[in-house]
Amino acid sequence: MSPKPPATPAKPTPPRGPAARTVSTASTVSRNARFAWYAGLAVLGVLVGTAGALVQAAWLPVGLILALLATAALFYGGLRATETQVGVVAGGVGWLVAVILLSFGRPEGDGVFGGGVGELLYLFGGMAIAVMCTTLSRLPRPIP
């Protein structure tokens, strides 16, 4: 007599009923939470960009350093909070929109940016920090 072949393990069947709906709902909640994070980071980027534009002009050497530190904290925090580079981009888009809109000025000649060295350092320094935070390596995700 020939020996029996080893039994193959049974494949797990996908859950049916309420359990199946719970699994799909959990992934939707995660996606919605991620989009909420991105929207919150964009709004925070607008706030940091506006505050940084005002602070760097008011107290030039110290204000510029504070504005760039706040910008770096926004970008790095977005990277670590969302664990993706999109978190940096979301905050960066809000920051860039605020800085660009504030640089336009008004027809009367009023503007937040006067065109000095501090404003250029804030603009290019913020963009450089965004690029640095985007190219940082991501932390490995723990395997459950």
Side-chain angles (χ1 to χ4, degrees), residues 76 79-80 83-85 132-140:
Y76 187 74
L79 176 69
R80 293 300 175 217
E83 296 179 352
T84 63
Q85 281 85 6
M132 285 188 270
C133 287
T134 304
T135 57
L136 282 174
S137 63
R138 291 183 282 171
L139 296 173

Side-chain angles (χ1 to χ4, degrees), residues 59-110:
W59 308 312
L60 183 56
V62 176
L64 178 62
I65 293 170
L66 285 175
L68 288 175
L69 284 175
T71 303
L74 168 72
F75 296 151
Y76 187 74
L79 176 69
R80 293 300 175 217
T82 61
E83 296 179 352
T84 63
Q85 281 85 6
V86 182
V88 178
V89 173
V93 166
W95 179 85
L96 191 62
V97 165
V99 170
I100 295 298
L101 288 178
L102 290 172
S103 69
F104 283 150
R106 296 180 8 184
E108 294 85 17
D110 299 335

